[in-house]
Each structure stands twice: as C-alpha cells, then as structure tokens.
C-alpha cells in the first residue's frame, strides 16, 4: 500500500470522525436510533413472508422498507436541524387539533378498517394510522399546554375573560387546566375508544404520566381522573345498551382478557371440528409467539430461519419481539431491551440539562412513550398480558408508526443539541475558577515567577 493511498484512507477516516464529532445532539440517542433502524431493516426483510404475494415479492417489501427508513431518517434530520425551541413549541400547540381532526376523519368515508376496526384514514395513496400520529402529537401538545399553564400564557382564555364578564371564570387556574389539559385528554381518549380499548388505556396513561412529569400536581388530577372513570362507565353502558354495536372494542378487550380460558376450553373440543378450529384461531397468534421465544433459545436459529413467521399473520408488527428472539435468541432480545432502557436513562439526563418546562416535558413524555410502548410490546409477546396491538417502536413494520417515532427521535436529538449548546455557552461565559477564589491573574503570574526562581536556585 503506497503512501498516497494511506493518506487518502486517513483523510476518509478523518472526514467521517469529524462528521460524527460535529453532530451536536446526544450521540447515545443517535447510536440507539441507528441500532433500532438496523434491526428494523433486517427483521422486516426476514419476517414479512406472509405479506408477499404473486404481485408483491419480499424484495419489493424490502425496497419499500428502505424507502420508509430513508424518509424517516430525513424526518429526524429535519427535526434535528431546527435551531430554536420556540419553533417546536409553536407547532406543538396544534397537536390536539391535528389529533381531533384525524380521529373525526375515521368516521367519514376516508376511514379504513385495520385488524377488525377503523383505525386509519386513506389520503390518496397514503394510509395514515390515526393512533400512531395521535400519541406523538398529544405528547407535544401537552408539553406546550403544561408550559403555557405554568407561565400563564393562554392568550385566548385571557382575552375572553377580560372582554366578557360572563367568561371571567376562564381566568381561574382550575378552568385553564380543565380546558387546555384535561378536556383534550378526555376527548382524545373517547375518540380512540371507538377503535381500540387497549390503545385508549395505553395512550391515556402515557398522557397522564406526561403531565405529572410536567409538574401538574396529583391532587389536581384526581377530579379529572374520576371524570375519565365516569366517562368509561358511560361508554360501557352505551356498549351494553346497543348490544355491542357502539364501542364494540369492549367486547374484543373482554375476549382477550379471557384468552386463558380459551386455552383450557380447546382441550375439551374435538380436533378437526369447526368449534376446535375457531378456538385454535383465537389463540394461535399468542401461542405461536411463545413457541418462537422457546425455540429461539440463547443464540437463536439465525437470520431467515424463523418458522413461526409462517403461522403468525402479524409477526412483523404485533409480535416482532418474539420473531427477534426466535432468530437472534435471548442475546438479541436483551440487546433490544437495553436499547429502549438506555433511551429512557439518557432522556433523564437530557431533562436535567433543560431549564425550559416545555423541553423537559416533551423529552420525558416522548421517552416514556417510546420505552413504555416497547416494554408493553415485549410483555404481550411473552404472554404476560392481553394482546394490545402495540408495535415495537422503530422496528415493527408500518410507515405511520415509523414516521411518527422518527419525529419523536428527531425532537429528542434537537432538544439535546440545544441543551448541550446552552451548557457550553454558560461554561464559556462563567468566570474562571481561580478568579472565583479571589486569585487575580497578576497574582498567579507572580506566584509562578517565584516558583521558577526557587527551582533554579535564585530564590
């Protein structure tokens, strides 16, 4: 190898590491994103056998996933390049409006049925899964609402209360909390309840955790929480009165809660009968997921060697963690768990570096959403709870989910960049430590001169 070639390789390495070093966002989160995307590319290519058909090959699915990944990376980059926190805060205030509009469109001709319920809207060639967009949009909205509440900057409420005497009550903190924070949470939960009971519980829980992290006191949440319980009771009553025609997902949730009973019932049925086949179909997916985990062992079967992907229709989405363990073993599963846990731990460090309520709440809420959904997905795959349909963030198949979480990761990277820049600026503007101790530059120079004379024997 010649000197010129070595120099070129050295320059390439130098360029790459300079590029990495110039990335100002949190590099641990960047590494987590990279590993999740790598898992997604490999796992989607191997797990989507049942999606392939005469018209669409697995190579076509892989190419589609690569386009999705590139688009997601572009979204992350765009969010990362946003220079000011107020830009995120400005757009976040429309999160509830966007969520409400999408949930309303589900009940129009644009609504599309997904896995037995209308959960997506068709916008031309693009299918948008409503709940994937809603969960991220509402976290950002609540971060804005909590910030505005603490800074008393709800402009519309202030204008209405000052101009109209009958609306003076809008100036009270309790009413502001209800109108801007609790009412949107309740409205979104009811909207989601039409299509998924489990998503309602999960997303509603994440929203309440977010406002708690943001600083809303528990005593202020008790009354709205009771209201949510009452609303849920009314929805159950409507479900019963309508004979299951309205809020039909209650029936689905109940059937999933009694899944263990179905495991027992199938033993009493005659193999080959219609009843046996129906009971088998009901438990096939969770049972096959457990088989995949069992067969994966410690090291797994190896890439492309999964057998359960041929029996589980949703292996590439709802049961992706089981698939990863089957092909990559417990070692692969532990790596995936460590990625999500590390994200949560890293986000807590970013939160400490933020001095802005919006930034703190947004980072904490998004990290809890991503990690919480991942852990719930893993619990369900291990048969530790009823099926919820929650995907594995940034790994499971699905464009809407991938793009929504790309926005979430982009926001995390951007805010971490701003937090680091602020800390660096404060360090540069702070006085040197020796000056803080009362030692002046002249005194330091005199002391160094005296030390030099002593060591040279002139002292």
């Amino acid at each position: 190898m010649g000197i010129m070639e070595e120099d070129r390789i050295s320059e390439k390495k130098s360029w790459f590491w300079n590029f990495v070093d110039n990335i100002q966002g949190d590099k641990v989160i960047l590494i987590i994103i990279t590993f999740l995307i790598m898992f997604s590319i490999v796992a989607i290519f191997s797990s989507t056998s049942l999606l392939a058909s005469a018209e669409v090959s697995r190579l076509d699915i892989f190419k589609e996933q690569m386009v999705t990944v590139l688009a997601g990376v572009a979204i992350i980059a765009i969010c990362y390049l946003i220079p000011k926190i107020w830009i995120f805060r400005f757009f976040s205030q429309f999160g509830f409006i966007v969520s409400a509009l999408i949930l309303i469109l589900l009940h129009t001709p644009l609504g599309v049925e997904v896995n037995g319920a209308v959960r997506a809207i068709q916008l031309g060639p693009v299918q948008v899964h409503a709940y994937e967009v809603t969960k991220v949009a509402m976290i950002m909205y609540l971060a804005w609402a909590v910030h505005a509440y603490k800074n008393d900057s709800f402009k519309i409420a202030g204008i209405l209360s000052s101009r109209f005497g009958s609306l003076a009550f809008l100036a009270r903190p309790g009413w502001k909390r209800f109108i801007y924070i609790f009412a949107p949470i309740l409205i979104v939960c009811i909207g989601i309840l039409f299509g998924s009971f489990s998503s309602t519980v999960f997303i509603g829980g994440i929203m309440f955790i977010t406002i708690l992290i943001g600083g809303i006191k528990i005593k202020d949440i008790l009354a709205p929480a009771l209201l949510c319980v009452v609303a849920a009771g009314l929805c159950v009553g409507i479900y019963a009165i309508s004979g299951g025609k309205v809020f039909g997902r209650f029936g689905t949730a109940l059937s999933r809660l009694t899944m263990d009973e179905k495991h027992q019932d199938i033993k009493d049925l005659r193999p080959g009968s219609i009843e046996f086949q129906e009971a088998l179909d009901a438990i096939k997916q969770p049972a096959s997921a457990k088989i995949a985990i069992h067969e994966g062992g410690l090291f797994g079967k190896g890439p492309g060697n999964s057998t359960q992907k041929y029996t589980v229709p949703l292996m590439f989405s709802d049961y992706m963690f089981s698939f990863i363990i089957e092909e990559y073993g417990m070692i692969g599963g532990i790596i995936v768990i460590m990625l999500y846990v590390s994200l949560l731990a890293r986000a807590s460090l970013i939160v400490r570096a933020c001095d802005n309520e919006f930034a703190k709440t947004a980072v904490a809420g998004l990290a809890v959403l991503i990690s919480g959904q991942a852990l719930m997905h893993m619990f369900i795959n291990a048969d530790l709870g009823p099926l919820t349909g929650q995907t594995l963030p940034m790994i499971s198949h699905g464009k809407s989910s991938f793009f929504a979480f790309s926005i979430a990761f982009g926001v995390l990277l951007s805010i971490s960049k701003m937090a680091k820049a602020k800390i660096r600026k404060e360090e540069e503007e702070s006085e040197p430590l020796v000056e803080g101790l009362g030692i002046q530059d002249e005194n330091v120079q005199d002391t160094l001169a005296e030390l030099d004379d002593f060591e040279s024997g002139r002292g």
Side-chain angles (χ1 to χ4, degrees):
M1 183 181 294
I3 297 176
M4 296 291 292
E5 188 175 352
E6 290 180 357
D7 290 340
R8 284 197 300 270
I9 294 175
S10 178
E11 287 178 3
K12 288 180 180 179
K13 290 182 178 179
S14 178
W15 174 87
F16 173 77
W17 289 115
N18 284 336
F19 172 77
V20 173
D21 190 57
N22 288 330
I23 296 176
Q24 299 301 313
D26 191 278
K27 291 181 176 60
V28 174
I29 292 182
L30 185 62
I31 292 171
I32 292 171
I33 296 171
T34 303
F35 273 100
L36 291 177
I37 290 176
M38 289 171 62
F39 264 109
S40 175
I41 293 172
V42 175
I44 293 300
F45 178 72
S46 183
S47 66
T48 50
S49 299
L50 293 182
L51 280 180
S53 62
E55 295 79 19
V56 181
S57 66
R58 287 176 60 190
L59 183 59
D60 293 330
I61 297 171
F62 176 73
K63 290 178 180 178
E64 181 184 5
Q65 181 65 17
M66 288 301 300
V67 172
T68 301
V69 166
L70 292 175
V73 170
I75 292 172
I76 293 173
I78 292 171
C79 292
Y80 168 79
L81 293 173
I82 292 177
K84 301 293 183 182
I85 195 70
W86 69 263
I87 298 176
F88 285 119
R89 192 165 61 239
F90 173 79
F91 285 104
S92 294
Q93 65 184 313
F94 303 107
F96 169 61
I97 296 175
V98 171
S99 300
L101 179 61
I102 290 177
L103 293 175
I104 290 172
L105 289 176
L106 290 176
H107 304 282
T108 68
L110 294 176
V112 177
E113 185 174 308
V114 178
N115 296 333
V118 179
R119 303 176 182 177
I121 56 175
Q122 194 73 39
L123 301 176
V126 180
Q127 189 177 99
V128 179
H129 287 248
Y131 307 153
E132 301 298 334
V133 177
T134 297
K135 61 180 69 168
V136 175
M138 283 302 296
I139 294 298
M140 297 302 294
Y141 168 79
L142 290 173
W144 169 83
V146 169
H147 177 271
Y149 172 73
K150 288 193 169 183
N151 290 274
D152 196 21
S153 56
F154 291 126
K155 294 181 180 179
I156 296 177
I159 293 172
L160 293 176
S161 61
S162 61
R163 290 188 178 182
F164 304 98
S166 59
L167 299 178
F169 65 91
L170 294 178
R172 299 173 186 172
W175 278 99
K176 290 180 179 178
R177 284 197 306 270
F178 177 78
I179 293 173
Y180 285 93
I181 298 176
F182 299 128
I185 291 176
L186 182 61
I187 292 170
V188 167
C189 285
I190 293 175
I192 297 173
L193 190 58
F194 282 97
S196 174
F197 177 79
S198 59
S199 293
T200 304
V201 174
F202 174 72
I203 297 175
I206 293 295
M207 289 192 289
F208 272 108
I209 291 173
T210 299
I211 62 176
L212 276 173
I213 294 173
I216 302 299
K217 298 178 180 178
I218 295 179
K219 65 178 184 179
D220 296 327
I221 293 179
L222 291 178
L226 180 62
L227 181 61
C228 287
V229 172
V230 172
L234 290 174
C235 292
V236 172
I238 294 172
Y239 165 78
I241 294 172
S242 65
K245 295 180 180 179
V246 182
F247 297 120
R249 301 308 293 181
F250 278 116
T252 304
L254 184 61
S255 67
R256 288 174 177 173
L257 289 173
T258 58
M259 189 69 72
D260 289 338
E261 296 179 10
K262 293 182 179 180
H263 277 272
Q264 297 298 324
D265 293 343
I266 196 172
K267 298 178 181 179
D268 302 326
L269 299 175
R270 181 174 58 83
S273 64
I274 297 177
E275 293 80 6
F276 177 86
Q277 191 59 47
E278 290 177 348
L280 181 63
D281 290 339
I283 66 172
K284 181 172 63 176
Q285 292 205 131
S288 297
K290 288 197 294 183
I291 292 173
I293 293 175
H294 178 267
E295 292 186 349
L298 182 61
F299 300 104
K301 297 178 177 178
N305 293 324
S306 167
T307 56
Q308 296 307 309
K309 65 184 178 184
Y310 299 109
T311 61
V312 182
L314 298 177
M315 178 64 86
F316 48 81
S317 57
D318 292 357
Y319 291 98
M320 179 57 82
F321 187 66
S322 296
F323 169 80
I324 289 174
I325 293 180
E326 185 182 9
E327 292 209 342
Y328 301 97
M330 287 302 299
I331 293 177
I334 291 172
I335 292 174
V336 172
I337 293 173
M338 289 175 61
L339 290 174
Y340 292 111
V341 173
S342 298
L343 171 66
L344 196 60
R346 201 65 188 177
S348 67
L349 296 178
I350 297 173
V351 169
R352 293 179 186 178
C354 296
D355 61 354
N356 181 284
E357 293 295 337
F358 170 80
K360 287 182 179 180
T361 309
V363 169
L366 291 174
V368 170
L369 169 63
I370 296 169
S371 302
Q373 179 166 323
L375 292 176
M376 177 174 285
H377 175 95
M378 295 171 191
F379 288 156
I380 302 309
N381 279 225
D383 200 23
L384 297 176
L387 178 62
T388 61
Q390 300 297 329
T391 57
L392 194 59
M394 298 297 286
I395 297 182
S396 291
H397 184 268
K399 293 181 182 178
S400 296
S401 176
F402 196 90
F403 292 156
F405 284 116
S406 294
I407 293 174
F409 273 107
V411 172
L412 291 176
L413 278 176
S414 184
I415 293 179
S416 71
K417 174 188 67 177
M418 296 176 196
K420 283 189 173 182
K422 182 175 179 59
I423 292 173
R424 187 166 55 250
K425 183 178 179 182
E426 290 177 350
E427 290 175 348
E428 292 173 352
E429 293 177 350
S430 64
E431 295 182 350
L433 180 60
V434 291
E435 291 184 1
L437 294 173
I439 303 175
Q440 302 299 321
D441 289 344
E442 295 82 0
N443 296 337
V444 173
Q445 292 175 1
D446 292 343
T447 304
L448 291 175
E450 292 173 0
L451 181 61
D452 183 59
D453 290 341
F454 175 80
E455 292 179 345
S456 62
R458 295 195 298 270

